[in-house]
Amino acid sequence: MEVRVHEDMKLVEVWLTRQEQADNAIRKQLQQMYQDYKSRKYMVVQFHSGGSDLYAITRDLLIFNRKRIEELAVALEKGPDITSSYCPTLPIQC
């Protein structure tokens, strides 16, 4: 477990490995730490190690972003107002 305290922002970062996430002793320790920092009006954020393939999900994100940039470029060529254009890759209005 790694804990980073940012006094200037009243922020505490807690970084946990997968093994630490499942450890009950660490969970109890974290609860106490959260209570302590909450009383001092700090925000505590927790980061967990993932179980996914980092290479694959990063590749997919980069591919999606490249396609999205191309879509926006085409929309920009069609007209100056791209804020109301429909995003074909997303089920929402952009």
Side-chain angles (χ1 to χ4, degrees), residues 34-85:
Y34 294 156
Q35 289 174 359
D36 177 44
Y37 280 110
K38 184 178 179 180
S39 69
R40 295 165 47 191
K41 299 190 181 196
Y42 276 66
M43 176 184 284
V44 179
V45 293
Q46 201 177 93
F47 296 96
H48 295 229
S49 294
S52 300
D53 179 9
L54 183 59
Y55 173 82
I57 60 175
T58 303
R59 179 198 63 221
D60 294 345
L61 178 62
L62 292 170
I63 289 169
F64 171 81
N65 287 342
R66 183 183 305 155
K67 288 179 183 177
R68 182 68 183 122
I69 290 169
E70 291 170 4
E71 291 169 359
L72 290 173
V74 168
L76 187 59
E77 289 174 6
K78 290 182 179 181
D81 184 21
I82 64 169
T83 58
S84 62
S85 66

